[in-house]
């Protein structure tokens, strides 16, 4: 079974963000988060885009690295921008990577997961209770 929640970003939404905020928004292939975090990314750009003094401020890359850990690379300075970026990372620490609901559990996706789901991406994920149950059924090998 393919990984149902690959990292990436919605191309249509990316086009809209680009139209609204121009090169504040990195290229599509530099946004690597699962669907549950799309809204967090969206909200960050909406907030950054409203800053009056964002000249020269850019977001270079956004990437989910590990359970609940969102990397946001930026350049340039804007007074409130760093605070918005920090709030965005904080929001990721509480948000299910699959569905966007409040997250509770870290699911380990180790090599053994490949026995059941050969195409799943390895590495830990932060999920809500429902998504954890669903996802465990996909990745845990069960010989009973
Ligand atoms: Zn969920």
């Amino acid at each position: 079974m393919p990984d149902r929640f690959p990292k990436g970003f919605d191309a249509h939404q990316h086009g809209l963000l680009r139209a609204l905020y121009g090169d504040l928004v990195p290229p599509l292939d530099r946004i690597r988060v699962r669907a549950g975090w799309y809204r967090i990314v969206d909200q960050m750009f909406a907030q950054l885009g409203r800053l009056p003094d964002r000249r020269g401020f850019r977001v270079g890359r956004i990437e989910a690295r590990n359970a609940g850990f969102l990397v946001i690379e930026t350049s340039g300075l804007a007074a409130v921008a760093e605070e918005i970026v920090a709030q965005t990372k904080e929001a990721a620490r509480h948000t299910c990577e699959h569905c966007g609901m409040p997250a509770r559990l870290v699911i380990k996706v180790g090599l053994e997961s490949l026995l059941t789901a050969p195409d799943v991406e390895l590495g830990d994920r932060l999920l809500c209770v429902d998504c954890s149950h669903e996802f465990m059924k996909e990745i845990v090998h069960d010989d009973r």
Side-chain angles (χ1 to χ4, degrees):
M1 181 187 277
D3 194 329
R4 292 192 302 119
F5 295 91
K7 287 181 192 169
F9 197 68
D10 180 79
H12 176 69
Q13 192 60 19
H14 181 260
L16 290 176
L17 290 172
R18 263 285 165 99
L20 286 169
Y21 310 120
D23 55 10
L24 173 66
V25 181
L28 183 59
D29 64 359
R30 301 241 176 126
I31 305 180
R32 310 285 301 151
V33 298
R34 298 191 173 90
W37 286 4
Y38 287 3
R39 199 166 56 89
I40 292 177
V41 171
D42 230 34
Q43 285 172 344
M44 180 182 76
F45 283 117
Q47 286 180 293
L48 290 173
R50 279 198 295 269
L51 293 178
D53 64 341
R54 66 179 169 89
R55 277 169 300 152
F57 185 79
R58 300 278 182 278
V59 178
R61 175 180 295 276
I62 302 174
E63 188 173 357
R65 283 277 168 79
N66 213 336
F69 186 58
L70 182 60
V71 175
I72 303 172
E73 291 174 7
T74 62
S75 60
L77 273 181
V80 193
E82 293 304 324
E83 198 177 312
I84 293 171
V85 168
Q87 285 167 0
T88 303
K89 291 178 181 177
E90 182 60 25
R93 278 193 277 275
H94 306 286
T95 306
C96 176
E97 292 187 49
H98 285 187
C99 78
M101 296 293 283
R104 287 287 162 71
L105 298 160
V106 172
I107 300 300
K108 305 255 173 223
V109 187
L111 284 172
E112 69 285 358
S113 307
L114 299 178
L115 292 171
T116 317
D119 298 321
V120 78
E121 186 179 337
L122 301 180
D124 299 347
R125 300 186 191 192
L126 181 67
L127 301 177
C128 70
V129 174
D130 287 350
C131 289
S132 303
H133 290 160
E134 201 61 35
F135 190 50
M136 289 300 276
K137 282 189 232 159
E138 294 175 20
I139 64 166
V140 173
H141 188 60
D142 187 354
D143 322 316
R144 279 175 300 172

